[in-house]
Amino acid sequence: MADSTHASFVIEDYGRLVRKRLAVLAGLCAIVLAGFMADLVTGPSQLAVADAVKGLFFPGELSAPARVIIWDVRLPQALLAVLVGAALSLAGAEMQTILNNPLASPFTLGVSSAASLGAALAIVLGIGLPGIASSWIVSGNAFVFAFGSVLLLQALSRLRGTGPETLVLFGIAMVFTFNALVALIQFVATQEALQQLVFWSMGSLARGNWEKLAVLFAAIVLVTPTAMWSAWKMTALRLGEDRARSFGVDVARLRFVSLLRVSLLAATSVAFVGTIGFVGLVGPHIARLLVGEDHRFFLPASMAAGAAVMSLSSVASKVIVPGAVMPVGIVTALIGVPFFMALIFLRRERI
Amino acid sequence: MSDTASATLSVERLSVGYPGRKVIDNLSLSPIRGGALTALVGPNAAGKTTLLRGLAGLNRAYGSIRFGGRELVGASATEHAAHVTYMPQALPQRVGLTVFEALLGALKASPHGRASSADRELALETLARLGIEQLAMRALDELSGGQRQMASLAQAIARRPSVLLLDEPTSALDLNHQLRVMKVVQAIARERGIVTILVLHDIALACRWCERIIVLSGGKVFADGSPDEAVTPKMFSGVYGVEARVEHCSRGYLQVMVDDDV
Ligand SMILES: Nc1ncnc2c1ncn2[C@@H]1O[C@H](COP(=O)(O)OP(=O)(O)O)[C@@H](O)[C@H]1O
Ligand SMILES: [Mg+2]
């Protein structure tokens, strides 16, 4: 029936499209690598680029202070930037798909606010989880609150019949509630605690250490394969909830499991670096503009785009004010927005 | 899949609705046979979409829906989807997928034993059959309403269901494409013995292509049978509130002439 010459063209065209998307993905990964290297060789301490690179592969040949700078400061921070960017952006991508809302992200639906509340309780009132080492109390609280906020979101939406709109509305309500509670705590805080809390909220990679890296890395390694496993289901969900259900996708279950992944990724990231809002929203949008919404490409591209934005932001945070490191949470938006706007305008022109 | 040529769909004492609202109440139909087209017609808000959603397992249904010896009321979503595919009235918006990618998504949404290359062949074959293979690499968002509807139909057909439920598949199509769709759907239904129910607003189109017409009004069956039996002046005045004549044309098909409201 099918005209066989035309037929082979379609399959070939599709093959070309897939190769193009893989190439874009590889390009994004190259940008991440470049950003990571740039992140590694910049910093307030004067260290030659060659020394920084050499220190990475032959730590023995470096002076002790240089080794400490590379291995205990720059490398953990640079890796943390990549992992946090990837995790938050994957969380945002999944949220935007399962909630069918391009404005959904861990930041806009209250995960970051919840983490701030947890941190505020620890920093200002000294309230923490029993049995947690004091060095982890802020992170621990932030994690529990962030994770809990997504579970609360789930529970509320179950109570009142599911539906992505309801979930988004609950999320927005939580942002305001948590922010009000944080403000309340700030109101009673001492000057010193307040300063600490404000700094925490700005988001900083300086809190990176190998232990935290290992935890975040484990979370990503645990979550990413299960997300990729559901890639086709999410692609089908983009065609509409009814259609996807009729194609055999258990949408309620997909949403539930996906939100569990989101809560783990977002809570772990935010607990370690504080509030970094923009990347979870913009990473998926960059990926969507570049590779479309076949989730086999969209999910990894979101991770790479998020990692690239964070790495480049980390570099910028070190060079904007010479000799000082700005909180990366501030810089992310300052760097990400122009980049994002440029992409949108470039895309317009092509149409 | 094709050995179900004789399978029929029976609906007994079926109730479907939305939370706190029953739209279809205690509806029974004589078995709907596969291999030919069945039209579901009726005025706006008659419950056509609701009935199809109930049959598709998208809305909670009570009563009995039997297909080929299997009870579908209360069956798992997976089992439902294995037999029944529903093409919704609403078309997807703001989707970053090409026609071909969306079609692959429809095929791969639920697990099956096919290889990826087989899926690609199946997707292509479906597009070619509908005559829209030239749209394969176009972005869904850049298509016209009618082209989008064709792409949506392709997704439903490609899954090779045993029961195909199409909610207003021709509403955005020009004359040529309406004809093409009816022809292809009829041919596929015949080849594979598919139980095919289409919601149509164009009664003449329904008379021309469907062997059975079910007229739904206010959630109840007003008439049900061959075009000659179901499409009558009495039906037009009772269901639509319009005065119409129904006459056979020189080729033997029923034609409808609308005169005025009653
Ligand atoms: N999601 C919904 N919630 C509540 N009532 C609905 C919903 N969708 C449709 N209805 C109602 O069900 C009735 C039948 O609607 P529907 O099946 O969509 O009619 P149609 O025959 O035009 O497809 C209408 O009265 C409509 O208002
Ligand atoms: Mg309808």
Side-chain angles (χ1 to χ4, degrees):
Chain A
M1 173 122 259
D3 173 356
S4 60
T5 45
H6 207 140
S8 58
F9 275 127
V10 172
I11 304 262
E12 269 171 32
D13 284 351
Y14 179 67
R16 206 167 300 131
L17 185 71
V18 166
R19 283 194 296 280
K20 192 184 118 193
R21 303 219 145 136
L22 286 173
V24 170
L25 198 54
L28 273 174
C29 291
I31 294 177
V32 173
L33 192 65
F36 171 75
M37 291 311 288
D39 200 3
L40 208 58
V41 300
T42 47
S45 42
Q46 301 299 323
L47 200 65
V49 172
D51 281 347
V53 176
K54 195 169 72 187
L56 198 55
F57 299 103
F58 312 103
E61 293 181 17
L62 234 56
S63 66
R67 201 160 55 228
V68 169
I69 289 171
I70 292 292
W71 281 87
D72 291 349
V73 180
R74 287 198 188 166
L75 193 55
Q77 289 186 17
L79 284 173
L80 193 61
V82 169
L83 292 186
V84 163
L88 286 177
S89 189
L90 176 60
E94 283 209 56
M95 276 180 131
Q96 288 175 13
T97 293
I98 58 161
L99 300 177
N100 188 26
N101 191 321
L103 295 179
S105 79
F107 185 68
T108 45
L109 294 190
V111 183
S112 308
S113 310
S116 292
L117 179 59
L121 283 174
I123 293 170
V124 177
L125 305 179
I127 300 173
L129 297 168
I132 295 273
S134 61
S135 61
W136 285 74
I137 169 172
V138 177
S139 294
N141 261 18
F143 177 85
V144 168
F145 274 74
F147 196 76
S149 76
V150 185
L151 293 188
L152 188 63
L153 209 61
Q154 294 254 27
L156 283 172
S157 72
R158 292 234 147 181
L159 222 60
R160 171 70 188 79
T162 38
E165 298 84 9
T166 332
L167 261 168
V168 172
L169 285 177
F170 277 137
I172 291 170
M174 293 213 298
V175 172
F176 285 102
T177 312
F178 291 139
N179 284 351
L181 290 175
V182 170
L184 195 66
I185 294 176
Q186 283 174 339
F187 189 68
V188 302
T190 63
Q191 191 68 32
E192 192 190 344
L194 189 62
Q195 207 169 13
Q196 213 186 329
L197 179 58
V198 167
F199 182 70
W200 187 91
S201 307
M202 282 176 183
S204 167
L205 294 167
R207 296 164 205 146
N209 63 34
W210 289 102
E211 263 176 322
K212 290 177 176 175
L213 272 175
V215 173
L216 184 54
F217 185 69
I220 292 176
V221 166
L222 197 72
V223 157
T224 309
T226 72
M228 288 305 290
W229 177 254
S230 302
W232 279 116
K233 288 189 169 64
M234 288 193 237
T235 304
L237 184 57
R238 291 300 297 130
L239 299 173
E241 182 164 348
D242 285 343
R243 222 174 282 266
R245 282 176 65 197
S246 164
F247 296 160
V249 178
D250 187 341
V251 174
R253 191 190 152 82
L254 178 67
R255 216 165 254 152
F256 177 77
V257 176
S258 178
L259 276 179
L260 280 185
R261 286 194 292 263
V262 166
S263 45
L264 189 62
L265 287 175
T268 315
S269 309
V270 176
F272 290 161
V273 299
T275 310
I276 294 179
F278 191 65
V279 67
L281 182 68
V282 87
H285 281 285
I286 293 173
R288 195 176 286 117
L289 289 169
L290 292 175
V291 300
E293 288 189 301
D294 179 339
H295 280 58
R296 290 174 305 158
F297 306 114
F298 173 58
L299 295 179
S302 294
M303 294 177 84
V309 168
M310 276 305 287
S311 269
L312 296 175
S313 302
S314 171
V315 174
S317 73
K318 291 186 257 186
V319 298
I320 287 179
V321 182
V325 180
M326 301 255 294
V328 75
I330 303 174
V331 181
T332 316
L334 292 181
I335 290 294
V337 169
F339 183 45
F340 185 47
M341 297 296 267
L343 255 176
I344 293 174
F345 283 118
L346 282 177
R347 165 117 179 151
R348 265 288 132 69
E349 271 173 23
R350 222 188 306 143
I351 289 170
Chain B
M1 267 176 229
S2 49
D3 61 325
T4 51
S6 58
T8 58
L9 183 75
S10 349
V11 175
E12 269 163 52
R13 301 177 322 280
L14 185 73
S15 299
V16 194
Y18 303 90
R21 166 158 204 189
K22 207 177 261 184
V23 176
I24 303 287
D25 191 11
N26 220 5
L27 179 137
S28 297
L29 294 169
S30 61
I32 300 173
R33 83 176 183 97
L37 305 187
T38 301
L40 184 61
V41 306
N44 296 331
K48 305 178 295 293
T49 296
T50 309
L51 175 58
L52 289 199
R53 291 179 61 91
L55 295 178
L58 296 177
N59 280 38
R60 184 78 175 271
Y62 302 88
S64 164
I65 304 168
R66 295 186 68 79
F67 174 71
R70 270 183 218 86
E71 178 57 58
L72 291 180
V73 170
S76 74
T78 326
E79 166 145 24
H80 228 116
H83 299 293
V84 186
T85 292
Y86 168 65
M87 170 187 161
Q89 216 170 327
L91 299 170
Q93 308 283 337
R94 292 189 293 107
V95 187
L97 294 169
T98 64
V99 171
F100 201 72
E101 284 176 315
L103 195 45
L104 286 180
L107 285 169
K108 289 172 174 288
S110 45
H112 56 64
R114 276 192 308 274
S116 286
S117 61
D119 274 330
R120 287 195 292 271
E121 293 291 338
L122 193 53
L124 174 61
E125 184 195 309
T126 311
L127 290 180
R129 191 118 202 222
L130 287 170
I132 53 167
E133 66 271 45
Q134 76 283 359
L135 297 181
M137 292 301 131
R138 296 274 300 278
L140 271 183
D141 271 357
E142 293 169 10
L143 300 182
S144 77
Q147 290 173 322
R148 243 180 250 215
Q149 203 162 30
M150 295 296 280
S152 162
L153 181 64
Q155 291 157 20
I157 290 176
R159 289 183 55 82
R160 294 179 171 254
S162 322
V163 178
L164 181 61
L165 308 173
L166 305 174
D167 202 345
E168 303 197 17
T170 58
S171 59
L173 301 182
D174 63 34
L175 270 180
N176 178 289
H177 282 85
Q178 285 183 18
L179 207 66
R180 194 192 292 179
V181 161
M182 296 308 288
K183 261 188 201 161
V184 172
V185 172
Q186 188 185 56
I188 289 174
R190 277 191 186 145
E191 280 164 31
R192 305 184 199 150
I194 302 174
V195 172
T196 311
I197 306 177
L198 308 91
V199 173
L200 296 173
H201 277 303
D202 185 338
I203 310 262
L205 195 71
C207 291
R208 166 70 181 81
W209 294 97
C210 303
E211 74 159 17
R212 176 170 172 187
I213 297 183
I214 300 168
V215 183
L216 205 62
S217 178
K220 301 251 177 296
V221 176
F222 186 91
D224 179 4
S226 68
D228 278 315
E229 291 163 343
V231 178
T232 57
K234 181 174 150 272
M235 186 278 282
F236 278 104
S237 62
V239 171
Y240 293 100
V242 298
E243 200 175 302
R245 283 165 292 151
V246 180
E247 286 168 18
H248 287 271
C249 73
S250 56
R251 292 197 175 171
Y253 300 122
L254 273 188
Q255 296 297 333
V256 180
M257 277 144 287
V258 178
D259 293 316
D260 205 346
D261 52 4
V262 179

